[in-house]
Structures are given as C-alpha cells and as structure tokens.
Amino acid sequence: MNDATSSQPSEPLAPSETPERDAANRATEQRSSFGSVVFSLRRWWLRDVIGTVDQAEVIEKRREDCAMSERYMFMTAMSAGIAVLGLLLSSPAVVIGAMLLSPLMGPIMGLGFALAIGDYQWLKQSARSLGWGTLMAIGLTAVLVYLSPIQTITPEIASRTQPNLFDLFVALFSALAGAYAMIRGREGTIVGVAIATALMPPLATVGFGLATWNWTVFSGALLLYVTNLITIALTAWGMARLYGFKTSLSSRNTLFQNVAVAAVFIGLAVPLAFSLQQIAWQTNAQRIVRAEIEESFQGRGRLSEIEIEFAAAPIAVNATMLTPVLRNDAESEIERALSSRLGQDIELTLTQFQVGTSASAAEQAQLTAARANEEAAAVERAEMLARRLALVAGVTESDVTVDRTRRRATVRAQELEDATLTTYRILEQRIAATEPEWTIELVPPVAPLPSAIAFEDSGPTIEGARALSTIAWAATRIDLPVVLVGDAEQGSMAAEILARSGVDVTVQTAPGTLRAQWGKVGSE
C-alpha cells in the first residue's frame, strides 16, 4: 500500500506536458495543412487554368488587332466623326455608338501583351498603330469642330475635361475584364469594356479643345485619354504575366521592367489623386456655404437656390434666400464668415425674398422663384439661339426674329459665296437638330433652283426626290412660285409632289431634262 501511495506524486507531471505537445502538434498540422492548400491552389492554377490557355493563338489574335490596316484607320475615322457629333449635340446615344465602333482598344491591349512577353517589335507596331490612330482622330475632330457653326461646350464635353482617381479605377476594372476576355477567348464581352473605358470621346474632346484653342478642355481630355490608355496597357501586361505568358528577357531586365511599370502607374495616380482631393474640397465647401447661409437666418428661412463658381477669383457664390425677415447686413456677415472658414476670398451675392412665416408661404415663394429662374433660363436660351442663327445666316442678332411663346425663330440669310440652296437647308437642319422643341426657319436668298430633276419609269430617282425636296423647302421659305420646264408627264408628277407641300407650281413643256426655275409673283 505504501509503495502504491509513494508512486502517485509523479503522475501529475504528464498532464502539464501534454498541452504543450498538443499545441506543437496542432501548429505543425496547421502549417502542413496551409502548405498543402497553397500547393493545391498553385497546382490547380498551373494545370487547370494556365494549362488550358493557348498562348500562341492568343498572341496571334492580338497581333492582328494591332495591325495598322485600312479597316483600322477607317473605323477610327468613323468613330471619331460620330463621337464629335455626339459631343456637339450632347447626345449620349450617339457618343455610345462611337465607343462601340472605336478600334483603339486593340493596339492598347497589344502594348500590354507585347511588354509581357518582351516582344519589342510587336511593341513598336502597337505604338505606331495607336499613335497614327490617335493623331488622325484628333486632327479629324478638330477640323469638324472648326468648320462647325456649333462650338459650345456641352455637358457631354464638360464631363470629359476633369478626370479624377475614379477614372483610373473605371479603366482598371474595364481592362481586367477585357484582358480576361481576350485570354480566355471570350471577346464578346469586349463591347462592354469599350463603353466603360470610353477611349474615343476623350480624343474627340481633345480635338474640340484644339479647334477652339481651349487649353482647359484640351489638357483635361488628354489626361483622361492617357489615363485610360496607360491603365489598360499596364493591366493587360499584369494579366498576361499572371496567366503565364513568358518573356525572353533576363532576370535583371525583368526587374527593371517591373520597376518601370510601377513607376508609370504611380506617376499617373499622383495627379489624379490631387484632382480627387480638389473635388473633395469643393464638395465640403458647398456643404459649408449652405450651412453658413442657413445658420445666419437662425433656421427661419429657406435656401431656394445656390450656385458656386470655384474657377472665379475670388470664389463667386450666388444664393437665393426665402425669409420672413430681411437682413441688410446678412451678405457682408456671411461673406466674412465663409472667407474665414474656407481660407479663401469669397464674393457672395445674396438675394432675399420676404415671405410669410408659414411653411406654405415659403413654398409658394420658392415656386415663384423657380418660375423666375426658368423664365431667365428660357430667355438666355432664346438669346443663344438668336446668336447661333445670326452666325450661320451672316447677319446681326437684331435681324433674327424669336417668338418665345410659340418657340419659333426666323432669320433671312445673306448670300454666301458658293452656297447653294442645299447649303442653307443643311444649316437650318443643324440648328433645328439641337433645338427639337423649336421651329427654326432660315430663309435663303433667291438662289438658282436645282438644274436637273432626274426621273425613272416609276417616278423621280433618289437624286430627283432630293432635288424636289430642296425646291419645296426653298419655295415655302421664300414664298415664290416655281416653274417646271421639261417633259410634260414628268412635270405633272413633280408638280403634284410639290403641290402637296403647298408650292405654287406651273409646268412648261420643253425638250430635255426636267428642271426648275423661279416664277414671277402673280404669273399664270
């Protein structure tokens, strides 16, 4: 019994050692388990992902997209033309059409793939195609804007003149999707990428800035384009390396390549970060301005409208306040407070409307102010329309008749050198396209009518129909009768077509092709 009792104190040592051994065993098992997971993932990636990519086929397709072919140049020109028209008309649908047609994605992605495999011959080919396409797009859009009577900065143009850090991320995620689609052979999704990255509209905006000598528009749009370009190329390079595309460069050159790519990416992000910081400051400043104005009236008024021009020096603030009590010193007091809080000079223009103390009175005053603003906007739009019509017609603004009630604008154009009736009609159509709610009438001078109206057996040809359409337009604008000279049967058919448009027509039978000329007022 004593022997059994004396042996018991040694047994508690085992439990104190067991947890330490168990912990060590568990740590070893966890490391082994983590290592096996990493090994399994690596094996899966190399065998089931990279192993299924036909790199030779992918590279061959990418090379074809980078070639500076006739199709590439033609599609670039068409995309540029559509893009600049969409920007001038401020039509998102037209701009999207230009994005879909733009072939610039091919050489930009080619830059990334060529850099990944170290093929500098391919790199030069991609850069050459991209350079010529870019220069042609800028040059073509600049010429179109220079020749266009419409050179106003539209919202579509303004939205592409202030790039920020978010533009970098949009291009990054779009490039990831595009590179994946190209590597995995699913190029159908590239359409969405072209829309998201919007390569051609920024280029068209660069051309607009060049044609109008607007450095702000030119530089901002160029930065946006370069942002998308470099981000897409670098992302394509990263995806190609991730999917195992090999390079023939030495380890030292590869390290230099990686450092250069990282430096370019960081260098691009720095100015965009400053831009984002400026936007954040402006957003905070708007909140401070609104709060300061409302607090100065101790919550008894309602801020109806506020506009801030950060580009002005000093910063211009225009606000409208609906309040039951007018404060003569409010403008100077708020101006000093804002200058102190924002740390910049502020020029405040505060308009106060006295209203009743009830909520309904404030709402009624706000509606009245809104109507006044709408009226002012309508007047400004009518004045701008008059300026544009005067410009295309070659007259002064006082010669343009604008009826805002009926939304009708009329101008009698001066005779322009080498301008035909078709030219004046096209000018009218361009103005009318930008003002769909208005009736635009540009009265041309009495110029010669089309000298030939072509017919076939069933009626006028396409050219003949166009000629008749121009004759009908000119006759209704100038309000003069028309005489058709030529074959009697063709003349009768043409006269019937013109009569439907309200044109006073007479037919004179004569040999030769049917032609039109002006008649005399009151002639039989």
Side-chain angles (χ1 to χ4, degrees):
M1 296 291 295
N2 291 338
D3 292 340
T5 304
S6 62
S7 63
Q8 290 178 358
S10 62
E11 293 179 359
L13 295 176
S16 64
E17 295 176 358
T18 299
E20 296 176 359
R21 289 197 301 268
D22 291 344
N25 292 335
R26 283 196 299 269
T28 302
E29 292 175 357
Q30 288 175 358
R31 286 194 297 269
S32 177
S33 177
F34 178 74
S36 63
V37 170
V38 172
F39 176 77
S40 298
L41 288 175
R42 179 178 175 82
R43 184 177 61 181
W44 166 78
W45 181 260
L46 293 175
R47 184 183 63 186
D48 298 335
V49 178
I50 295 180
T52 60
V53 175
D54 189 344
Q55 295 189 6
E57 182 181 358
V58 172
I59 291 175
E60 184 63 28
K61 287 183 178 180
R62 299 289 70 78
R63 287 183 188 275
E64 293 176 1
D65 292 340
C66 298
M68 192 171 64
S69 60
E70 178 184 355
R71 175 189 176 279
Y72 169 77
M73 299 300 289
F74 178 77
M75 294 301 291
T76 300
M78 295 301 98
S79 177
I82 294 173
V84 75
L85 291 176
L87 294 175
L88 292 175
L89 297 174
S90 193
S91 173
V94 178
V95 174
I96 291 174
M99 296 180 194
L100 297 176
L101 288 178
S102 174
L104 295 178
M105 178 71 77
I108 294 177
M109 298 292 283
L111 289 175
F113 279 88
L115 190 62
I117 66 174
D119 189 337
Y120 286 97
Q121 188 65 30
W122 184 12
L123 189 69
K124 289 190 294 183
Q125 178 190 12
S126 300
R128 182 168 60 250
S129 298
L130 180 62
W132 281 111
T134 299
L135 291 176
M136 186 184 69
I138 294 176
L140 177 62
T141 53
V143 170
L144 291 176
V145 173
Y146 181 79
L147 297 177
S148 171
I150 305 173
Q151 297 183 354
T152 306
I153 298 179
T154 63
E156 286 291 329
I157 294 175
S159 65
R160 292 171 173 84
T161 58
Q162 191 177 20
N164 54 59
L165 196 60
F166 294 120
D167 293 311
L168 180 65
F169 285 112
V170 168
L172 173 64
F173 294 136
S174 301
L176 286 172
Y180 174 81
M182 289 180 172
I183 292 173
R184 303 302 297 179
R186 296 178 175 86
E187 288 89 347
T189 59
I190 207 66
V191 174
V193 179
I195 295 175
T197 51
L199 294 170
M200 187 55 71
L203 269 187
T205 307
V206 173
F208 178 91
L210 181 63
T212 56
W213 292 101
N214 190 320
W215 170 251
T216 301
V217 172
F218 178 86
S219 60
L222 185 60
L223 178 59
L224 178 58
Y225 174 70
V226 173
T227 298
N228 289 339
L229 186 156
I230 296 180
T231 303
I232 295 170
L234 294 182
T235 304
W237 166 81
M239 288 289 288
R241 295 302 299 270
L242 181 65
Y243 271 86
F245 285 76
K246 304 296 184 181
T247 175
S248 59
L249 299 176
S250 65
S251 58
R252 181 178 179 182
N253 289 337
T254 300
L255 177 62
F256 175 77
Q257 180 193 72
N258 295 341
V259 172
V261 169
V264 171
F265 199 82
I266 294 174
L268 180 66
V270 168
L272 292 176
F274 281 121
S275 177
L276 181 62
Q277 183 181 16
Q278 180 67 17
I279 292 175
W281 183 87
Q282 293 179 0
T283 302
N284 186 55
Q286 291 177 343
R287 181 186 59 80
I288 292 175
V289 170
R290 178 178 292 274
E292 190 66 37
I293 295 175
E294 291 176 345
E295 290 173 2
S296 66
F297 286 87
Q298 300 176 355
R300 293 182 297 174
R302 175 178 294 184
L303 187 59
S304 174
E305 183 182 2
I306 183 170
E307 293 180 359
I308 305 176
E309 296 182 18
F310 290 101
I315 297 176
V317 178
N318 296 288
T320 301
M321 194 70 184
L322 309 178
T323 175
V325 180
L326 299 180
R327 290 188 53 196
N328 296 328
D329 60 341
E331 187 170 285
S332 58
E333 180 182 319
I334 297 172
E335 190 174 281
R336 287 193 300 270
L338 289 176
S339 298
S340 176
R341 294 186 64 179
L342 297 178
Q344 295 194 25
D345 294 335
I346 303 295
E347 183 178 351
L348 173 65
T349 301
L350 181 63
T351 303
Q352 301 180 52
F353 289 97
Q354 188 172 16
V355 298
T357 57
S358 64
S360 60
E363 292 174 356
Q364 183 62 36
Q366 190 171 13
L367 290 174
T368 302
R371 294 191 188 99
N373 292 333
E374 290 178 0
E375 179 67 16
V379 171
E380 182 179 0
R381 185 171 183 177
E383 291 176 351
M384 182 177 296
L385 176 59
R387 286 194 295 270
R388 292 165 58 195
L389 282 173
L391 177 64
V392 300
V395 298
T396 62
E397 291 184 35
S398 59
D399 295 324
V400 181
T401 303
V402 178
D403 186 348
R404 290 195 298 111
T405 303
R406 296 181 175 85
R407 293 183 178 272
R408 188 185 191 91
T410 306
V411 62
R412 185 174 293 276
Q414 292 290 332
E415 185 174 354
L416 304 177
E417 185 177 357
D418 297 329
T420 64
L421 290 175
T422 302
T423 304
Y424 293 104
R425 188 185 184 191
I426 292 175
L427 290 174
E428 180 189 275
Q429 290 173 341
R430 287 182 178 179
I431 298 295
T434 62
E435 302 291 341
E437 298 178 355
W438 284 71
T439 300
I440 308 298
E441 290 187 356
L442 189 150
V443 181
V446 183
L449 292 170
S451 57
I453 306 173
F455 268 77
E456 54 188 7
D457 294 339
S458 59
T461 64
I462 296 178
E463 291 78 10
R466 290 173 181 169
L468 288 173
S469 179
T470 300
I471 294 170
W473 172 82
T476 54
R477 292 290 183 269
I478 302 175
D479 195 20
L480 282 178
V482 173
V483 178
L484 298 176
V485 182
D487 181 79
E489 184 179 355
Q490 294 179 358
S492 299
M493 295 176 62
E496 182 180 353
I497 294 173
L498 293 175
R500 295 173 192 163
S501 300
V503 180
D504 183 7
V505 191
T506 56
V507 179
Q508 293 181 2
T509 302
T513 305
L514 185 66
R515 54 198 180 275
Q517 61 188 33
W518 292 113
K520 296 181 180 179
V521 178
S523 62
E524 296 296 332

